[in-house]
Amino acid sequence: MPTGAHGLREHGFAPVVLPPVPAAVTAGFRDHPYRTLRLRMSWTADDDWLFQYVPPSGAPAPGGPVRDLADRRLAAGLGSLLRRTLSGPWLDVHADWLIGLHRIRTVAPAGTTVRVEPPEPPPADATFTLLAVLGREGAGSLRSRLYGPGGASAPLLEAAPRPGQGLLLDRRTVTDDLHELLAGPGGPVSQDLLTAHLSPAAGPASSALRIRPMLVRGPSGTLLHTRPALR
């Protein structure tokens, strides 16, 4: 299977290994299993990605400030997870990215195969998609098939990601994907899958380079706040 940036550029997909999943992510998805979150990802002057929570538009969500605080904590945990998972030369650091995050919990009874259904398809302007298996309970496996333009009968890839693994897809090459949870004969299996759709953000590019200050050590251990120019 192709790996890393080379595989993504040449084939349109690459496997990824997840860092340890923060406890806030596990707890947040357990308590609110069908929540959708959005983050804005920007490259900063200190060579790192900054993840900012994007509040939902329109009417406030049920729960008010309590729900908003929980969302922000969950977003911080997801930012920590995505920072290492998405880092790579395939992402343009001169552009900001909007990330739509969905958690899919799927349960398959013993001896059955259940299709893993995303809550919504990737947006039309999605450039990359991350599919990450956060956890699984019971004896079973995930079967993933990726298809290219034209809906060819032969998939580009057949894979079986395990917990702690995922797939990074280039939506310009992978136009369709099918995922099925297979349960063994001994009992049911449940699985938590995280999807992250990355789209170019509207508005000025590299906004974090303009807004976020860089901390520089000055005389006698003081910290000087500077606003470095865009690179």
Side-chain angles (χ1 to χ4, degrees):
M1 182 185 295
T3 60
H6 176 75
L8 195 66
R9 287 194 300 265
E10 297 297 321
H11 303 281
F13 54 85
V16 295
V17 178
L18 306 181
V21 179
V25 173
T26 303
F29 279 137
R30 183 186 64 238
D31 298 339
H32 304 279
Y34 302 108
R35 179 173 301 178
T36 296
L37 288 179
R38 285 177 171 79
L39 304 178
R40 187 182 184 100
M41 185 172 70
S42 308
W43 189 249
T44 66
D46 48 350
D47 294 334
D48 196 6
W49 287 108
L50 172 67
F51 292 84
Q52 297 170 297
Y53 169 64
V54 179
S57 59
V66 175
R67 169 70 177 269
D68 184 67
L69 180 60
D71 280 351
R72 291 179 184 276
R73 288 175 175 169
L74 179 55
L78 286 164
S80 174
L81 175 68
L82 295 173
R83 178 174 285 106
R84 287 180 56 187
T85 307
L86 296 177
S87 294
W90 51 81
L91 285 179
D92 181 6
V93 300
H94 297 287
D96 284 5
W97 298 89
L98 283 180
I99 308 177
L101 293 147
H102 306 282
R103 185 258 203 175
I104 309 168
R105 168 161 286 182
T106 306
V107 178
T112 65
T113 298
V114 175
R115 183 166 180 171
V116 179
E117 294 285 359
E120 59 186 55
D125 60 346
T127 306
F128 300 102
T129 292
L130 170 68
L131 301 158
V133 182
L134 298 186
R136 187 181 298 147
E137 296 181 0
S141 61
L142 178 67
R143 180 171 59 194
S144 297
R145 300 187 185 97
L146 310 181
Y147 296 89
S153 57
L156 297 172
L157 172 72
E158 290 194 31
R162 299 189 299 272
Q165 298 180 343
L167 294 169
L168 186 64
L169 318 180
D170 187 332
R171 284 294 173 188
R172 294 164 294 189
T173 301
V174 177
T175 58
D176 193 19
D177 50 294
L178 173 65
H179 310 276
E180 297 171 318
L181 182 61
L182 290 70
V189 58
S190 63
Q191 175 185 265
D192 289 340
L193 183 74
L194 177 71
T195 65
H197 299 305
L198 281 72
S199 305
S206 303
S207 60
L209 292 178
R210 297 185 178 94
I211 298 171
R212 188 182 181 189
M214 178 187 289
L215 299 179
V216 181
R217 295 213 171 264
S220 303
T222 60
L223 289 176
L224 304 178
H225 293 256
T226 66
R227 291 176 181 263
L230 291 174
R231 296 184 176 184

